[in-house]
């Protein structure tokens, strides 16, 4: 079985799970907000599943490595089990993160963290290989490399959310806020899917027969715009501001994007 097959299969299963929970939410009107809401199995299922499918597609463009035969299933299994545990916690009526109220909840929380570490190491290796060799046209190369770079930034921010959130929870404070109203998941989610929409943009331009030089220029502009939007989200969050409580500096950053 090709290394890309494992991420494809696991990713499709997660997307199906996410959409199934979305249908359940539409029928039942279950809560969308809060640590016990159905939002987590929906968003984690779809978002992680789509990301894993994209990584499988990128794997096909890399120079094969001997360790792919175990790295690929390890990445797929770690993310599939992570999303599975998050989904299981929803059905148990328990929060999946920052939940230390019982031994099983603490074990689940710690297991999710370990699985994220494993997946992030695998993603880091894929990104490293992308910058050495990738079989694609110049515009697609740039799109994939920029997308993987943004994905690594998102992973780093995810770890910050985990560890700083644990610190806040230990003090009896909300683990999801920075300062008065900063939403820590805001910058984490801004560019996590650049690895999908930048290559999709290139695919659309290729379908429209746009010249390669124009495609590459468009990807550069899109990457710069995403970087500015990321800076805006970081400014808002780490100044304790809500998403739309835009300061003068935040306004300049988002206008630049």
């Amino acid at each position: 079985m090709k290394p890309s097959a494992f991420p494809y299969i696991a990713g499709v299963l997660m997307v199906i799970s996410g959409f199934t929970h979305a249908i359940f939410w539409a029928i039942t009107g279950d809560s969308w907000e809060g640590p016990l809401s159905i939002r987590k199995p929906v968003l984690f299922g779809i978002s992680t599943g789509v990301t894993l499918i994209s990584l499988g597609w990128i794997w096909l463009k890399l120079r094969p490595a001997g360790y792919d035969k175990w790295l690929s299933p390890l990445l797929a299994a770690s993310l599939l089990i992570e999303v599975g545990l998050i989904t299981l916690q929803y059905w148990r009526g328990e929060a999946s993160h920052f939940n230390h109220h019982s031994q099983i909840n603490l074990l689940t929380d710690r297991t999710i963290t370990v699985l994220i570490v494993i997946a992030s190491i695998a993603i880091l290796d894929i990104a490293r290989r992308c910058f050495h060799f990738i079989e694609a046209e110049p515009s697609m190369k740039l799109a994939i490399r920029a997308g993987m770079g943004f994905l690594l930034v998102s992973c780093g921010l995810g770890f910050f959310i985990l560890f700083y959130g644990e610190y806040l929870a230990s003090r009896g404070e909300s683990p999801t806020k920075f300062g008065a109203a900063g939403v820590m998941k805001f910058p984490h989610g801004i560019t996590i899917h650049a690895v999908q929409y930048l290559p999709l943009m290139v695919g659309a331009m290729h379908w429209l027969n746009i010249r390669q030089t124009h495609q590459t220029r468009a990807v550069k502009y899109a990457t710069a715009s995403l970087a500015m939007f990321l800076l805006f989200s970081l400014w808002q969050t780490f100044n304790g501001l809500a998403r739309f409580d835009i300061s003068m500096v935040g306004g300049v950053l988002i206008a630049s994007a």
Side-chain angles (χ1 to χ4, degrees), residues 34-53:
L36 303 180
S37 71
I38 199 170
R39 172 180 53 86
K40 284 197 170 184
V42 172
L43 293 186
F44 275 89
I46 296 173
S47 177
T48 310
V50 168
T51 299
L52 198 48
I53 291 168

Side-chain angles (χ1 to χ4, degrees), residues 11-12 14-15 19 44-56 193 195-196:
V12 168
M14 282 187 273
V15 170
F19 276 111
F44 275 89
I46 296 173
S47 177
T48 310
V50 168
T51 299
L52 198 48
I53 291 168
S54 298
L55 292 173
H193 290 299
V195 75
Q196 284 92 48

Side-chain angles (χ1 to χ4, degrees), residues 137 139 201-219:
E137 293 182 339
S139 59
M201 184 181 76
V202 172
M205 289 190 291
H206 179 76
W207 182 72
L208 292 170
N209 292 317
I210 295 174
R211 289 171 56 185
Q212 182 61 220
T213 53
H214 292 166
Q215 290 184 31
T216 302
R217 188 180 299 120
V219 175

Side-chain angles (χ1 to χ4, degrees), residues 24-101:
F24 178 78
W25 169 71
I27 293 171
T28 63
D30 200 359
S31 173
W32 187 256
E33 297 297 331
L36 303 180
S37 71
I38 199 170
R39 172 180 53 86
K40 284 197 170 184
V42 172
L43 293 186
F44 275 89
I46 296 173
S47 177
T48 310
V50 168
T51 299
L52 198 48
I53 291 168
S54 298
L55 292 173
W57 171 73
I58 290 171
W59 226 309
L60 291 172
K61 299 180 178 299
L62 299 177
R63 184 175 286 122
Y67 56 82
D68 281 343
K69 61 185 177 182
W70 58 261
L71 185 66
S72 172
L74 181 64
L75 171 63
S78 62
L79 291 178
L80 184 62
I81 296 170
E82 180 212 349
V83 173
L85 289 173
I86 290 169
T87 303
L88 178 63
Q89 287 295 83
Y90 164 75
W91 287 105
R92 291 184 65 237
E94 296 283 352
S96 54
H97 298 89
F98 313 116
N99 185 351
H100 305 162
H101 297 310

Side-chain angles (χ1 to χ4, degrees), residues 76-149:
S78 62
L79 291 178
L80 184 62
I81 296 170
E82 180 212 349
V83 173
L85 289 173
I86 290 169
T87 303
L88 178 63
Q89 287 295 83
Y90 164 75
W91 287 105
R92 291 184 65 237
E94 296 283 352
S96 54
H97 298 89
F98 313 116
N99 185 351
H100 305 162
H101 297 310
S102 70
Q103 282 299 110
I104 190 168
N105 287 324
L106 177 61
L107 178 61
T108 301
D109 181 83
R110 293 291 184 260
T111 302
I112 288 173
T113 300
V114 170
L115 292 169
I116 292 171
V117 170
I118 293 171
S120 297
I121 292 172
I123 291 169
L124 179 62
D125 181 72
I126 295 169
R128 177 190 63 81
R129 291 162 65 184
C130 281
F131 282 92
H132 281 282
F133 172 83
I134 189 162
E135 187 178 346
E137 293 182 339
S139 59
M140 186 61 81
K141 283 182 181 180
L142 179 59
I144 292 172
R145 287 168 176 169
M148 289 301 299

Side-chain angles (χ1 to χ4, degrees), residues 2-25:
K2 291 183 178 180
S4 59
F6 295 101
Y8 281 148
I9 293 169
V12 168
L13 289 174
M14 282 187 273
V15 170
I16 290 172
S17 174
F19 276 111
T20 301
H21 283 85
I23 293 169
F24 178 78
W25 169 71

